[in-house]
Amino acid sequence: MKSEKFKIIKLVKEFIMRVEENLVNFPKKDLELKREIKEITYGILLKVYSANITSDKTKRKALQEQIIAEIKYLDFLINLCYEKKIINAKKYLRFGEKLDELVRNIMGWMKATS
């Protein structure tokens, strides 16, 4: 179980690095979108750490559900970047694959801790 939690932290950190690398040349008119993506991504990391340390199963499950909801929201924002042609199809697919992997691992974590 502990290794599963650490794997999720590693995946979120990798996603943060991918966001930092790929959203460098954002158009000025869309800087708010970039800020929102970064804010949500760092918020997910904070929630993973919070869920990691809580011993209250109800609180942990609520945090895990919030993480999944925020990942879905992040997927929407990344899709918006693609539709606005801020990122290309290749980057969009890589972001999507990473987000899918995160959701799968969090679902596994939820099953393992319930």
Side-chain angles (χ1 to χ4, degrees):
M1 183 172 79
K2 287 214 183 274
S3 63
E4 183 68 23
K5 291 188 258 184
F6 290 124
K7 182 178 181 182
I8 293 168
I9 289 171
K10 180 180 177 249
L11 289 171
V12 173
K13 287 180 179 179
E14 288 171 1
F15 188 79
I16 288 171
M17 295 306 294
R18 180 161 286 158
V19 165
E20 294 290 342
E21 291 169 7
N22 290 290
L23 301 183
V24 173
N25 297 321
F26 236 71
K28 273 191 171 185
K29 65 182 173 114
D30 293 309
L31 286 178
E32 185 64 26
L33 178 58
K34 178 181 178 179
R35 186 202 57 75
E36 182 72 3
I37 291 169
K38 289 175 85 172
E39 189 175 301
I40 294 297
T41 304
Y42 283 104
I44 288 169
L45 181 62
L46 179 61
K47 284 181 178 71
V48 170
Y49 277 124
S50 297
N52 234 351
I53 63 169
T54 188
S55 57
D56 182 341
K57 287 185 178 188
T58 306
K59 185 176 179 182
R60 183 183 313 116
K61 183 175 170 87
L63 283 166
Q64 290 165 329
E65 289 171 348
Q66 286 176 359
I67 293 165
I68 290 173
E70 288 183 8
I71 290 171
K72 301 285 185 183
Y73 176 54
L74 197 53
D75 185 47
F76 167 78
L77 295 175
I78 299 292
N79 185 17
L80 192 57
C81 290
Y82 174 68
E83 289 176 2
K84 289 181 158 206
K85 297 183 179 15
I86 297 169
I87 60 172
N88 62 30
K90 187 176 178 182
K91 287 181 182 180
Y92 176 64
L93 289 173
R94 284 194 304 225
F95 276 124
E97 289 168 356
K98 207 56 150 164
L99 290 173
D100 286 344
E101 183 180 8
L102 263 169
V103 169
R104 280 193 313 274
N105 279 276
I106 292 166
M107 295 298 282
W109 181 25
M110 289 175 75
K111 288 178 185 174
T113 58
S114 61

